[in-house]
Amino acid sequence: METLKEELQSVNEELQTVNGELAYRVSELGRANSNLKNLLEATQIATVFLDNDLRVRNFTPAATEIFHLLETKAVGVISFSYDGVMLSANDVFLRMTGYSRSQVEQGELTWQKLTPEEHIPESNRQIKILNRTGRIGPYEKEYILADGSRCWMLFAGRDMGDGTMAEFCIDISGRKAIEAALRKSEEQLREFGEASSDVLWIRDAESLQWVYLTPAFERIYGLQRDQVMGGNNLRSWAELIVPEDRDHALDHIRRVRQGERVNFEYRIRRPSDQEIRWLRNTEFPLFGDDGTVRQIGGIGRDVTDERAAANRMEVLVAELQHRTRNLMGVIRSVAEKTLRSAANSGDFENSFLGRLDALARVQGLLSRLPKGDRVAFDELLRSELSAHGAQDGKSAALHLDGPSDVRLRSSTVQIMALALHELATNAVKYGALGQPAAQLTVRWRVDPSQADGRSWLHVDWREAGVVLGQKDPALSTSGQGRELIEQALPYQLGARTSYSLKDDGIHCTIAVPLTSESPPP
C-alpha cells in the first residue's frame, strides 16, 4: 500500500507539470490571437484570408471598404490565366452567375466572354494597371450570367506571381438598382421643380444657406438664382423682405430648425420693378437618420393676386349685402302698396308678381355688367317693353327715339324700372299697346348741364289713338303707378315728373339727374 501511494503521488506531480505547460501554451496562443487581432484591426491593407476551399475565413477592416464583407456573406473568388481563361471559382461565384464547375474546369469561361462589349475597355484598362502595379480594382462592371441576363459586380484582385491573377467579386446589382431609382427620383424632382410655378428650396439647417433653389425664384423674387446662391444667401433673402415683416419671417425659420412645420405670409420688395409682393411660405424640417433636423424644405407662393382677389370679393360681398337690403326694402314697399290698391287676392297676385318680374329683370341687367359699368336707359326701356310683348321695329304701334348708352346711376335703376313697368303695364291693359289703332311714342334726351351743374335725362312717354272706356283704378288719381311716378321718383331721385290722362291716352314726362349734385364751391 505504501508503494502504491508513492506511485500515485508521482503521477499527480507529473500531471501538475503537464497542466502547467498546457496553461502556458494556452496563454501563448491567446497572446498570439490577440496580437493577430490587433494586427488585423490596425492594418490599412485590405486583406482577405481563405481556406483551401476558397471560403473566407478572416479579413482586415480595410477589406470591408472594398467588399462590404460585413454586409454580405456572398463573396465570389475566381482566378484567371493572363490570357483570360477562368481557372477556378468558388461556390459563391457559381451560385451568383449560374455557371457550372465543369464549365470552369473545361476552360469554357473567359473574362472576355463574360464581359459585355461596352465594359471591355475598362477591363483592358484594369489589366494594364495589374501589369504595372500587381493589383487590380476595385472597379465595377456587368457580367453576363449563364441565362443571358446581366449582373452588376464589384471586382478587386492581384497578381498571384505564378502567371495567374485572383479576383474577389460581389453582387452589387441591388445597390445599382437603388442608385438608378435614386437618380430617377432626383430627375423627377428636378423636372417638377423646373416646371413648378411655386419656388421650391432646401436649406442647410445649420448654416441656413440654400442648397437647392428652383427657377420660379427668379420670377417671384425678381433676382437671378446665381445672385443669391453664393455668399450669405440667408441675409440676401432677408434683405428682400420689407422691414415690418422681416423679424416675423426669420422667427418662423428658427421654429423650423426646432422641428416645427410652419406656414406664414410676408411681403418683399422685388428688386426688378420695386413692386411689393405678398408671399406665402410653407416650411418643414427634413430629419437625418439620427432624428435631428439636417435640412429645411420650403415652398413659396406669390399670393399678391390672390389677396387682391380676396379683397375685391370682400367689397363685392359688402356691395351685394347692401343691394340685397335695398332690394328687400323695395319689395316690401311694393308689396304693401300693391296690397292697399288691390281689389282682391287675384289682383294682388298679378300686380305683385309683375312688379317682382320687373325687379328681377333689373337684377339680371346688373349682374351682366362689367365691373364699374352702369345700366343704359335704352337697354332698361327695351327690356321692360319686350317683357310686355312690345319690341321696337316689329310693331307699328311702338316708336322709340333717343340716344343709346345713357348710363343711369345704380341708385336710379330699380325705381326707374318700376316706373317703366307701371307705364308699360297700363299701356298693355288699357292703352296704346293693347289697342291695334293706338300708338306709343317714347322719346328721351340728355341735357348736358343745367343750372345746378348736373346732367339730366328727360323722358317723354306719349300715347295716341287710345279709345278710353270705363276708367280702371290704375288710371285714376289714386293708382299705384301714378303714385310711384308723381311721389316716389321725386322723393327718392330728386326727379321732376308729370302724369296726365288725355282723351287719347296717357302722357307722362320724367326728368332725372344722371350725376350726383355738385358740391358747393
Side-chain angles (χ1 to χ4, degrees):
M1 287 294 293
E2 189 68 27
T3 303
L4 181 59
K5 286 181 180 181
E6 291 177 356
E7 290 179 358
L8 286 175
Q9 184 175 359
S10 177
V11 170
N12 186 44
E13 290 175 354
E14 290 179 2
L15 287 175
Q16 287 178 353
T17 301
V18 171
N19 285 338
E21 291 179 356
L22 286 176
Y24 174 77
R25 297 297 182 185
V26 168
S27 176
E28 287 293 311
L29 181 61
R31 282 195 295 271
N33 285 335
S34 178
N35 291 336
L36 178 60
K37 180 175 182 294
N38 292 335
L39 175 64
L40 293 178
E41 291 178 350
T43 184
Q44 297 180 354
I45 301 174
T47 307
V48 179
F49 298 90
L50 307 177
D51 62 12
N52 291 334
D53 295 322
L54 297 181
R55 290 191 294 265
V56 176
R57 307 302 298 176
N58 209 337
F59 49 87
T60 64
T64 63
E65 298 178 6
I66 301 176
F67 295 107
H68 301 285
L69 296 177
L70 295 180
E71 300 176 10
T72 175
K73 302 300 182 181
V75 179
V77 183
I78 50 180
S79 65
F80 290 97
S81 64
Y82 264 76
D83 58 3
V85 178
M86 185 179 294
L87 302 175
S88 64
N90 68 348
D91 292 339
V92 174
F93 177 83
L94 297 178
R95 284 196 302 271
M96 284 194 299
T97 59
Y99 293 108
S100 64
R101 187 164 299 281
S102 63
Q103 289 177 290
V104 176
E105 293 172 350
Q106 294 173 17
E108 297 178 9
L109 305 179
T110 65
W111 70 258
Q112 295 92 337
K113 179 179 178 181
L114 301 183
T115 303
E117 183 178 353
E118 62 269 26
H119 294 292
I120 292 292
E122 175 62 20
S123 296
N124 286 328
R125 190 180 74 86
Q126 292 293 332
I127 293 296
K128 292 179 180 179
I129 295 174
L130 176 70
N131 292 334
R132 188 174 67 253
T133 66
R135 297 182 181 277
I136 189 170
Y139 70 103
E140 299 174 0
K141 69 175 181 180
E142 288 181 295
Y143 246 17
I144 299 173
L145 306 184
D147 60 4
S149 62
R150 295 184 178 191
C151 175
W152 274 98
M153 293 186 182
L154 175 68
F155 293 88
R158 62 172 300 161
D159 184 355
M160 300 303 293
D162 58 357
T164 65
M165 60 179 177
E167 278 190 311
F168 300 104
C169 58
I170 60 174
D171 183 344
I172 60 170
S173 55
R175 193 197 80 194
K176 284 291 187 179
I178 293 173
E179 290 175 350
L182 180 60
R183 285 194 300 271
K184 182 177 180 181
S185 178
E186 290 174 345
E187 178 62 19
Q188 289 175 338
L189 176 61
R190 188 193 65 80
E191 292 177 356
F192 175 78
E194 295 287 323
S196 175
S197 59
D198 296 337
V199 57
L200 312 180
W201 63 76
I202 297 176
R203 294 183 186 274
D204 179 82
E206 182 66 26
S207 65
L208 294 181
Q209 301 300 294
W210 276 316
V211 296
Y212 174 74
L213 195 61
T214 60
F217 177 88
E218 299 176 357
R219 177 183 59 81
I220 293 176
Y221 283 85
L223 287 173
Q224 297 297 314
R225 282 184 291 174
D226 55 9
Q227 290 180 258
V228 296
M229 287 298 287
N232 189 338
N233 54 54
L234 176 66
R235 178 180 299 172
S236 301
W237 171 74
E239 289 174 350
L240 297 174
I241 303 173
V242 299
E244 297 87 346
D245 296 348
R246 192 170 297 153
D247 289 342
H248 169 72
L250 292 175
D251 179 64
H252 280 83
I253 298 295
R254 285 189 286 267
R255 288 170 55 189
V256 181
R257 268 178 129 178
Q258 302 303 315
E260 291 187 51
R261 179 187 180 95
V262 299
N263 294 279
F264 60 99
E265 294 186 359
Y266 59 100
R267 291 163 295 172
I268 65 166
R269 183 179 295 277
R270 192 161 57 189
S272 58
D273 54 14
Q274 296 301 307
E275 185 177 351
I276 297 295
R277 305 296 294 181
W278 273 98
L279 305 184
R280 180 184 298 136
N281 281 13
T282 297
E283 306 214 15
F284 45 89
L286 300 174
F287 296 97
D289 294 337
D290 58 357
T292 61
V293 178
R294 304 296 296 276
Q295 294 179 317
I296 295 175
I299 303 171
R301 171 173 295 182
D302 187 334
V303 295
T304 307
D305 295 339
E306 182 180 324
R307 287 178 66 94
N311 291 336
R312 288 195 298 270
M313 184 61 67
E314 289 181 5
V315 173
L316 290 175
V317 169
E319 176 65 17
L320 177 61
Q321 291 174 338
H322 174 71
R323 289 189 180 187
T324 301
R325 287 193 297 269
N326 289 345
L327 181 59
M328 295 303 294
V330 171
I331 293 173
R332 181 186 180 116
S333 176
V334 169
E336 290 175 348
K337 291 181 179 180
T338 305
L339 185 60
R340 286 200 303 267
S341 62
N344 51 54
S345 61
D347 183 33
F348 170 79
E349 180 180 2
N350 291 333
S351 299
F352 182 65
L353 291 179
R355 289 160 184 158
L356 280 184
D357 288 341
L359 291 173
R361 286 189 288 274
V362 172
Q363 297 306 312
L365 292 175
L366 290 172
S367 67
R368 293 192 295 271
L369 288 176
K371 181 184 177 183
D373 203 355
R374 295 180 176 183
V375 175
F377 172 76
D378 62 305
E379 187 179 11
L380 182 65
L381 175 63
R382 286 186 169 86
S383 175
E384 194 57 47
L385 291 173
S386 178
H388 287 81
Q391 298 184 29
D392 184 29
K394 295 185 179 181
S395 172
L398 177 62
H399 178 65
L400 305 181
D401 181 23
S404 61
D405 207 34
V406 178
R407 299 293 169 174
L408 300 174
R409 289 183 296 160
S410 55
S411 59
T412 303
V413 175
Q414 288 182 351
I415 192 69
M416 278 294 290
L418 288 174
L420 294 175
H421 171 75
E422 296 300 329
L423 291 170
T425 299
N426 285 337
V428 170
K429 293 173 68 176
Y430 314 109
L433 297 181
Q435 297 182 17
Q439 288 187 338
L440 169 62
T441 301
V442 183
R443 290 186 171 90
W444 64 95
R445 60 183 173 82
V446 176
D447 283 345
S449 180
Q450 303 244 334
D452 59 4
R454 294 184 291 177
S455 297
W456 287 69
L457 171 66
H458 293 268
V459 181
D460 185 273
W461 180 290
R462 187 183 298 272
E463 297 180 1
V466 176
V467 178
L468 298 176
Q470 184 180 1
K471 293 183 178 180
D472 184 84
L475 299 175
S476 68
T477 57
S478 61
Q480 183 182 348
R482 187 165 185 171
E483 179 183 344
L484 175 70
I485 293 170
E486 293 185 328
Q487 297 181 28
L489 288 179
Y491 176 76
Q492 295 189 28
L493 305 181
R496 298 191 291 265
T497 65
S498 67
Y499 186 98
S500 59
L501 181 59
K502 305 294 185 179
D503 292 338
D504 60 349
I506 290 176
H507 180 215
C508 175
T509 63
I510 302 173
V512 295
L514 293 176
T515 55
S516 58
E517 189 172 358
S518 300

